[in-house]
Each structure stands twice: as C-alpha cells, then as structure tokens.
Amino acid sequence: MVNIYNFSKNVIQNLIRENKNNSSFTPILLVLCTIPLSFAINNIALGIFLVVALVTFKKTNFKVQKELVFPILLYVLMVISYFWSIDQKETLAALSKELPLLIIPLGFFLFKTNTAEEKKKIITYYSHVIVAFALYFLVRATVRYFIYDDSRMFFYHGENDKDYGLVPKLLNAIHMSVFVAIAFFYFFTKEIKSKTDHFCSLLLFGFILLLSSKNIILIVFVLSLIHIFFISKAAHKLRLRNLIVFGLMIGILFSLGRIKDRFKVEFQSNTEKSLSTNVIEGVPAGVHYVSIKEAWTNPTFTPNDYFNGTSFRVYQFRIFTELIKENTIFLTGFGLNASYPKIKEKAIQYNLYMGVENDLDSGYQSKNFHNQYVQNFAELGIFGFLLLLVILFVNVKNAIKSKDFVHFAFAILMISLFLTESFLWRQRGVVFFTMMYCLFNSRIFLKSSKAE
C-alpha cells in the first residue's frame, strides 16, 4: 500500500509540474486516456480541453500551423455538404460527432506548442494507462470465463445484446487494437528497457493478438520487424537469430485455436474467413459463403448468402463504383453520413440479407462502406477524398522527418486501418486520430540539438 501511495503521489506531482510548464499537457492526456471509456466521459474531457485552451490563451502562443489546418478544412467541407446532402437530418446529426476535427486543431493553435520532450511524456503516460486497461480487461475476461465457462471471453468482442468478448462491442475490438498498438510501440521501441517495459511489451502484444483484428495484427507484426531489422541499435547484429525466434513465437501464437481460425484459408476463392472483420457474427451452419469473385461479379444474391469481412468490403466498393456512375456525386458526394439510403437501395437491388424486423440483427443494408477512403469519396466527393490523402501524406512525411517510430507506426496503422474501417465516422475513432495527428504534427522536431 505504501508503494502504491508513493507511486500515485509521484505521478500526480509530475503531472502538476508538467502542467505548470505547459497548460495543454493534462488536457491532451485526459482526452487520450478517456477514449476507451464512455462517450460522456470523453466528451467532458474534450470540453475541458477546449475550456483550458480558451482560458489560458495568450497571443504570443497563437500560431496557425499548416499541418493542422487540413482536419479543419475537412470539417468545413462536412458542414458545407449539408446544403447538397440527400439526407440533411443525418448530416446535421453527424456534424456534432465530427466536431473533434475542428475543436482539437483549434485547441492546438491556442495552446503553447508542446516540445518534443513533452510529447514523449504524453505518449508515456498514455501507454501506461493503456496497460492498465489491458490488465483490467484480462482480469474481467478471466472472471467471466470462470462464471460462464466460455473461452470466447478472451477474444475479440461480442454483440450488443451478448457481451461475450474480450472487450464490449461498443468499444470495438478493432478500435481498441489501434489504441493498444500505439502503446505497444512505445514500450517496444524504447532503447533502454527495464523488466517492466519488457513485461508491458509482451502484455500489449498478447492483448492485440487476443483482440483478433487480423489487419492490425499483420501491420503490428510488419512494423515490429521493420524496427528490429532496420531501426534498432541491434539491427545489424543477430538478424537471423532474431528472425527465427520471432517467427517461432508468432507461429506458436497463431497456432492457437481462435487466432488460427481467423487467419485460416485467407485469400482462397471461396474463403470462409477474411483479413477484414466479419460484419455480421454468428452465421448459421449451411449458409453460402460469398467469395471475393462472387462479391464483385454476381448479378444478384440471396438472403442465404453470407459475406465475410473481405468479401463484404469488395461488394461495398463495387456498389460505390456503381453509385459514382449512376449519380452526379463525383464533386460533391451524397453529403456527410447521407449514403445509407443509397446503400439500402443497392442491398434491395442485389437481394441481400436485410435482417430480422424488430431484432438487433439489422442486416447488410445498414452497414457503412467500411473503408474510410470510399466513405469520404461517397459522402464528400473528390475533394473530401483528396483532403484525406493530404492528411495521411503529411502524417507520413512528418513521421519520417521526425525519426519518431511511434509516430511512424501511427501513420502506417491509420493508412491500413482506413482500408477496412470508416474509422473517422466513429466518435472514438475521430477523437483518437485527430488528437494523435495534432500531437505528432503540431511541430516537427529533428533529433539534432541545433533543430531543438
């Protein structure tokens, strides 16, 4: 108890000291650390972030940084899309959810710029909080396993009405994987690691595997290899041995039942599994699994056809190309969050499974494009798509320039995630991306002391 008290006291004192040096330190950290919690708590943190920015604002601190203008421009385009939206009610409702694209960059304009050391400390605190979340969910899963005798408690997420996963459905295993991955790379890439750092790295890596997001697991694996063999100080030593050991470890972990199942028979023409997350869980035995080729070419389907994650995303891209040809939306899009009526029309046209009336299973027609690039294009037109590409390009360019591997990992994770998820169309997603983007890109520090 004494050790816990002293540790907590030191943490609080350090936070107070950091906040005295820069008033943005605690508000930024508070927003990041409350993302996995309820929307209400995270909204309160965002409110505190904005209030503190306004109260502590000094003209000498104000600086418009071009990297941070792009998220604001994206939000402005979303607002303007209301005037041509085919569903203005949905567009208006979605604008409040996308407010972080405006609020967070403005806060960074008003706050004193964070130094490279302050940014690093924010990521440090954030990473330790994520470790606490991982431990909590693992303990939760263990307790629930002994209560329900169901191994599903250790993997992925369940459904809204049946919370049988490692994390709740509302939190989303894929999104949680991204939050955890950033913390993992903080510990994994430290040049000098303590035993605690090694433990945290292994814990978070294992947690990512249990969350079973195939896309994130692959990217984390590839980025880890890049760091081991090209970035770390020991990169020129023992490469073959490290590769063998790492490969054996991954092979053993992937051989575990549920994780193995999620990667099995990937890329086969009639696959029952996919790289992308399945959009409808608990499919009855005997249904027809739609292949990638069928998703792209079939003239029609039946309600008995089941789309796995990859085939569904192929189908969604297919109907997106058709909608572009059939509607004059190349420049404008349908409007923010206004593509659902068109997606439903296509679902009816192709005779997809439409769910059960008065049931929580809503069918395929209610799903968004599950692709951020397509989502931007369909709803905001070519300019919304190009703005997204500019944001991602700036993020990668500055990550390389800063020589910060955690920043680089964030940039690559987002590029990959956007291929399978409409991440920015989710509240936790837009808050996480915008805050991390602004934190990493608000000012670029080179490693030379002269640049500092």
Side-chain angles (χ1 to χ4, degrees):
M1 289 297 293
V2 174
N3 290 335
I4 294 175
Y5 170 77
N6 289 333
F7 173 78
S8 302
K9 182 181 178 180
N10 289 334
V11 169
I12 293 172
Q13 288 176 343
N14 289 337
L15 286 174
I16 293 173
R17 183 168 57 251
E18 293 296 339
N19 211 59
K20 285 182 178 180
N21 295 331
N22 192 337
S23 58
S24 70
F25 189 91
T26 301
I28 292 172
L29 185 61
L30 188 62
V31 172
L32 285 174
C33 293
T34 57
I35 289 175
L37 299 177
S38 70
F39 294 138
I41 294 175
N42 190 237
N43 285 337
I44 292 171
L46 274 171
I48 293 173
F49 171 84
L50 183 60
V51 169
V52 174
L54 293 171
V55 170
T56 61
F57 168 67
K58 295 179 181 178
K59 289 184 178 180
T60 54
N61 293 338
F62 183 78
K63 182 179 179 182
V64 176
Q65 301 171 67
K66 62 180 181 180
E67 291 87 357
L68 308 192
V69 171
F70 299 119
I72 296 175
L73 291 178
L74 183 58
Y75 185 76
V76 170
L77 182 59
M78 291 175 177
V79 173
I80 297 173
S81 75
Y82 170 82
F83 297 100
W84 61 70
S85 173
I86 64 172
D87 193 339
Q88 292 185 328
K89 183 179 178 181
E90 284 295 323
T91 298
L92 191 61
L95 286 173
S96 61
K97 183 174 61 180
E98 300 298 330
L99 261 176
L101 288 169
L102 174 67
I103 291 175
I104 293 174
L106 286 178
F108 275 83
F109 289 163
L110 299 176
F111 278 125
K112 177 185 175 183
T113 304
N114 290 283
T115 65
E117 188 62 30
E118 287 168 341
K119 291 181 183 182
K120 185 177 180 180
K121 287 180 180 178
I122 289 172
I123 297 299
T124 299
Y125 280 109
Y126 165 81
S127 299
H128 283 87
V129 170
I130 292 296
V131 169
F133 274 115
L135 288 172
Y136 164 75
F137 283 117
L138 287 172
V139 171
R140 174 181 180 265
T142 302
V143 172
R144 284 153 57 87
Y145 171 76
F146 284 111
I147 293 174
Y148 299 105
D149 192 25
D150 189 343
S151 63
R152 292 182 300 174
M153 301 300 177
F154 289 100
F155 299 92
Y156 200 55
H157 61 235
E159 294 299 303
N160 292 325
D161 59 329
K162 297 178 182 178
D163 184 15
Y164 52 75
L166 181 60
V167 297
K169 174 67 177 291
L170 189 61
L171 179 54
N172 193 296
I174 303 171
H175 296 182
M176 190 65 188
S177 296
V178 177
F179 308 154
V180 173
I182 299 301
F184 163 74
F185 281 112
Y186 163 74
F187 290 108
F188 182 73
T189 60
K190 289 183 72 173
E191 292 184 356
I192 302 175
K193 297 185 182 68
S194 64
K195 290 182 179 179
T196 301
D197 295 327
H198 284 293
F199 168 78
C200 291
S201 294
L202 289 173
L203 173 73
L204 295 178
F205 185 74
F207 194 72
I208 292 171
L209 291 175
L210 293 177
L211 287 170
S212 307
S213 172
K214 299 177 285 289
N215 184 3
I216 303 304
I217 291 173
L218 286 173
I219 296 302
V220 167
F221 176 57
V222 171
L223 286 172
S224 298
L225 289 179
I226 290 174
H227 185 269
I228 291 171
F229 295 108
F230 298 99
I231 307 297
S232 67
K233 285 186 175 181
H236 62 287
K237 300 178 182 179
L238 304 175
R239 289 187 178 183
L240 181 60
R241 191 201 70 171
N242 289 342
L243 181 61
I244 293 172
V245 172
F246 200 78
L248 286 174
M249 181 178 69
I250 296 299
I252 293 171
L253 289 169
F254 282 2
S255 67
L256 295 175
R258 290 186 179 277
I259 298 172
K260 180 181 177 181
D261 287 344
R262 294 188 68 83
F263 279 91
K264 192 177 180 181
V265 296
E266 182 62 58
F267 298 123
Q268 293 182 9
S269 61
N270 286 285
T271 179
E272 296 183 4
K273 299 290 176 181
S274 64
L275 268 178
S276 308
T277 307
N278 297 334
V279 293
I280 293 181
E281 301 292 337
V283 180
V287 301
H288 171 68
Y289 285 83
V290 178
S291 70
I292 293 173
K293 181 179 179 181
E294 289 171 339
W296 184 256
T297 61
N298 273 17
T300 187
F301 300 92
T302 72
N304 198 45
D305 287 334
Y306 166 65
F307 292 81
N308 62 47
T310 302
S311 64
F312 181 69
R313 286 161 175 82
V314 170
Y315 161 79
Q316 290 286 64
F317 186 75
R318 172 188 178 180
I319 66 170
F320 161 71
T321 60
E322 293 175 2
L323 290 171
I324 289 290
K325 293 176 182 178
E326 297 166 1
N327 301 269
T328 55
I329 61 161
F330 184 84
L331 292 177
T332 62
F334 293 116
L336 176 65
N337 217 41
S339 60
Y340 288 101
K342 294 297 181 179
I343 292 174
K344 185 175 181 179
E345 287 177 11
K346 286 293 179 181
I348 295 172
Q349 175 187 332
Y350 284 109
N351 195 30
L352 266 59
Y353 174 65
M354 304 290 284
V356 181
E357 191 174 355
N358 298 324
D359 197 347
L360 290 174
D361 183 2
S362 55
Y364 293 111
Q365 80 287 352
S366 63
K367 311 298 180 184
N368 63 29
F369 284 106
H370 282 72
N371 182 311
Q372 192 63 63
Y373 306 102
V374 170
Q375 199 82 42
N376 272 51
F377 207 137
E379 297 185 354
L380 302 175
I382 184 64
F383 297 109
F385 173 69
L386 291 176
L387 260 176
L388 180 64
L389 292 185
V390 168
I391 290 170
L392 294 176
F393 172 76
V394 168
N395 199 26
V396 172
K397 184 190 73 170
N398 288 343
I400 296 171
K401 184 179 178 181
S402 66
K403 300 181 181 179
D404 181 349
F405 194 83
V406 178
H407 184 183
F408 179 74
F410 166 71
I412 300 303
L413 279 165
M414 291 299 101
I415 290 172
S416 174
L417 181 67
F418 286 0
L419 289 169
T420 61
E421 297 294 319
S422 297
F423 191 61
L424 299 183
W425 265 231
R426 294 289 178 261
Q427 183 169 331
R428 288 189 177 91
V430 70
V431 172
F432 177 81
F433 176 82
T434 310
M435 183 60 80
M436 283 293 187
Y437 174 85
C438 290
L439 179 65
F440 283 127
N441 295 284
S442 56
R443 188 174 177 184
I444 305 304
F445 287 90
L446 301 180
K447 284 199 168 183
S448 67
S449 57
K450 183 179 180 180
E452 282 288 335

